[in-house]
Amino acid sequence: MVYVLLGAGFEEMEAVAPVDVMRRAGIDVQYAGIGGDLITGGSGITLKADIRVEDMNLGNMEMIVLPGGIGGVKSIAANESAVKAIRYAADNGRYIAAICAAPALLGKLGLLEGARAVCYPGMEAGMTGAVPAGNVKTVRDRRFITGQAPGAAIDFGLKLVEVLKGAAAAEKVNNAVYYK
């Protein structure tokens, strides 16, 4: 199972596009809502969470995904269950994916030590311990997958598919949606 954390103020493109891409590849994905099941993003779009963050089954988690958006990242950082799930993923060899402002949270939690990573341009100093990868859309290093910004949301989603199901599955989705 892949869990995508939704906190108030999340970046909508970074939450929707990767989930759409993963579901097209047949990956089980659930939105995990912080503070309820209707969560409003930074641009005023409301998504319905599949479950509450407190109800995630960490034992069956394959990957946890953190969309960016300053408000969304603050919501994740302030929620004990969300932070516990991120730490569980790190301690148990699960994939951790973060895009835009969210890699800075991974840095703050001390998880990116020595890992190549990317984030929203100008926020690199917040990725404590990471090795900034420069001006690229997505980076995978060990169990971490990071993405640059909202404009990288489809590339980020395709990278998540590649990590979970292989390059052929990612290419199949890429071709099906005519993303070139």
Side-chain angles (χ1 to χ4, degrees):
M1 177 64 63
V2 174
Y3 293 110
V4 178
L5 303 184
L6 291 181
F10 68 91
E11 170 51 58
E12 290 91 339
M13 288 174 62
E14 298 165 0
V16 174
V19 169
D20 181 270
V21 169
M22 286 188 285
R23 287 185 177 170
R24 287 173 189 266
I27 296 170
D28 289 330
V29 182
Q30 289 187 329
Y31 286 119
I34 295 171
D37 59 350
L38 293 176
I39 313 297
T40 302
S43 296
I45 298 170
T46 300
L47 293 182
K48 184 177 185 319
D50 299 297
I51 60 171
R52 296 175 341 138
V53 70
E54 294 83 6
D55 297 328
M56 291 186 299
N57 178 348
L58 301 182
N60 79 351
M61 176 175 50
E62 204 173 349
M63 177 185 283
I64 191 164
V65 180
L66 287 63
I70 298 296
V73 173
K74 285 181 180 178
S75 295
I76 293 168
N79 183 277
E80 184 179 329
S81 294
V83 172
K84 177 182 170 186
I86 295 165
R87 289 203 183 278
Y88 177 90
D91 293 343
N92 290 279
R94 305 308 200 268
Y95 290 107
I96 302 173
I99 185 169
C100 197
L105 174 57
L106 299 182
K108 181 179 177 183
L109 294 174
L111 301 178
L112 291 178
E113 192 62 44
R116 288 181 63 243
V118 67
C119 63
Y120 191 84
M123 296 187 76
E124 292 82 3
M127 295 192 306
T128 305
V131 177
N135 188 25
V136 295
K137 290 184 179 184
T138 63
V139 174
R140 177 187 177 191
D141 190 336
R142 300 177 299 225
R143 308 291 285 177
F144 298 101
I145 303 97
T146 53
Q148 187 180 58
I154 293 176
D155 293 276
F156 182 68
L158 289 168
K159 181 61 78 176
L160 302 183
V161 171
E162 179 183 319
V163 166
L164 294 171
K165 294 198 82 171
E171 187 62 25
K172 183 177 179 182
V173 173
N174 187 17
N175 290 336
V177 300
Y178 285 88
Y179 181 71
K180 307 292 180 193

